[in-house]
Amino acid sequence: MQPITPSDDAERQLLMRYLDRKQTDLANIEQAIAAGDYDEARRIGHNLAGSGAAYGFVRVTVLGRQIEAAARQRASADLLDTVAQLRQFLDGVVISEPG
């Protein structure tokens, strides 16, 4: 579990919206992989890599880069494995009440 304690309600809402969008990204990556759309999977991975650290989620950035690289190589098994790692990470993030 990854507990995050935001400094105020605004930050909490921002983080929660970000995490909601990442869940949508996960679904979109899985759909892209199933459709063989590696360009879309690469694009989403690129966006994950760019946004993760900005929101304090370095792991999202690392996994986004791995998704981007696997999509570029059309390595669906690696993509699926990395997406599963990302899902596990995101599912473990808990945003607590501001401290």
Side-chain angles (χ1 to χ4, degrees):
M1 192 173 346
Q2 297 290 336
I4 306 290
T5 304
S7 60
D8 57 32
D9 284 330
E11 182 182 6
R12 184 174 191 270
Q13 291 301 316
L14 182 71
L15 291 171
M16 290 178 69
R17 282 192 305 269
Y18 176 77
L19 293 172
D20 285 344
R21 288 191 309 270
K22 296 314 103 188
Q23 291 293 337
T24 300
D25 286 345
L26 282 171
N28 290 339
I29 289 172
E30 290 169 341
Q31 289 174 353
I33 295 166
D37 189 348
Y38 294 99
D39 289 336
E40 179 65 5
R42 185 201 52 76
R43 185 192 66 75
I44 295 169
H46 179 80
N47 290 341
L48 289 165
S51 69
Y55 283 87
F57 299 108
V58 175
R59 182 79 176 138
V60 172
T61 291
V62 169
L63 293 171
R65 286 182 184 141
Q66 290 175 1
I67 289 168
E68 187 177 12
R72 192 174 291 117
Q73 296 171 355
R74 299 181 175 268
S76 60
D78 290 344
L79 269 170
L80 291 171
D81 179 59
T82 307
V83 167
Q85 290 177 53
L86 180 60
R87 181 173 301 287
Q88 182 179 12
F89 173 79
L90 292 173
D91 287 347
V93 173
V94 175
I95 307 294
S96 62
E97 294 296 323

